[in-house]
């Protein structure tokens, strides 16, 4: 048993950190379940998704609204290589169903991993209408900066429009 556990830990240490697995349809098992139970990592199914998330110049805000959560996304690489829009997000465990009505057909499933949001590697073609030049929402990964709804609601796009204002 100890050898099997040591082998699993050794394999986990050798795996690539940037590999993005697909959405998980089953609850955590094995080492992940034990880590959640011990409090080493948060259980994504019980953590509120409200907050401000970022990675470099990419930003995502999520705030609660009457029927679902409101989401705002800003990808900004400078020189007018940007994406920005707002929409709604509903949650089922670790799966987030994102819908951006400004670009009809721009709906996709993202993953919530406790303190990180991961967009799919391929988003619907309709999402390109939200972006300028070579920017894309595909494979967006952001880490939580704040759990504050009031802080998240202040995120603005490049034109100064609030992305998570609740309207």
């Amino acid at each position: 048993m100890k050898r099997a556990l040591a082998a699993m830990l050794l394999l986990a240490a050798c795996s690539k950190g940037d590999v993005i697995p697909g959405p998980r349809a089953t609850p955590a098992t094995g080492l992940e379940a034990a880590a959640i139970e011990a409090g080493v990592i948060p259980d994504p199914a019980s953590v509120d998704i409200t907050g401000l998330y970022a990675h470099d110049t990419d930003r995502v805000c999520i705030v609660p609204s009457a029927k679902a959560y409101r989401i705002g996304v800003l990808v900004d690489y400078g020189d007018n290589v940007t994406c920005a829009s707002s929409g709604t997000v509903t949650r089922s465990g670790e799966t987030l169903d994102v819908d951006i009505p400004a670009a009809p057909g721009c709906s996709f499933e993202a993953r919530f991993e406790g303190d990180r949001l991961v967009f799919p590697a391929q988003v619907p073609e309709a999402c390109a209408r939200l972006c300028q030049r070579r920017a894309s929402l595909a494979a967006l990964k952001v880490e939580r900066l704040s759990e504050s709804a009031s802080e998240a609601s202040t995120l603005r796009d490049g034109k100064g429009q609030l992305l998570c204002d609740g309207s």
Side-chain angles (χ1 to χ4, degrees):
M1 179 70 176
K2 287 182 182 178
R3 285 185 184 172
L5 180 59
M8 287 180 10
L9 289 173
L10 185 58
L11 286 172
C14 294
S15 69
K16 289 179 108 180
D18 8 334
V19 175
I20 301 172
R24 199 177 315 134
T26 58
T29 59
L31 289 175
E32 184 178 11
I36 290 169
E37 186 175 324
V40 175
I41 59 173
D43 181 0
S46 66
V47 175
D48 186 19
I49 62 174
T50 299
L52 180 63
Y53 299 79
H55 178 75
D56 291 333
T57 57
D58 302 333
R59 301 281 186 268
V60 174
C61 56
I62 299 179
V63 297
S65 67
K67 295 182 182 178
Y69 286 89
R70 180 119 175 109
I71 187 169
V73 181
L74 174 64
V75 175
D76 185 359
Y77 298 116
D79 294 329
N80 262 352
V81 182
T82 63
C83 300
S85 197
S86 298
T88 59
V89 62
T90 55
R91 179 180 183 182
S92 176
E94 293 179 35
T95 302
L96 302 178
D97 292 313
V98 178
D99 180 45
I100 311 218
C106 183
S107 298
F108 54 88
E109 287 185 355
R111 279 193 338 273
F112 177 66
E113 300 177 342
D115 278 332
R116 181 168 78 155
L117 300 175
V118 181
F119 284 24
Q122 293 184 347
V123 295
E125 196 172 306
C127 297
R129 287 179 265 181
L130 306 171
C131 302
Q132 297 175 345
R133 299 176 67 187
R134 297 175 314 275
S136 174
L137 298 179
L140 177 67
K141 288 191 289 187
V142 288
E143 304 281 333
R144 189 190 311 252
L145 292 179
S146 169
E147 295 178 5
S148 168
S150 60
E151 188 171 356
S153 67
T154 64
L155 181 65
R156 295 178 184 269
D157 65 12
K159 297 175 184 174
Q161 299 295 311
L162 292 170
L163 294 174
C164 282
D165 64 352
S167 59

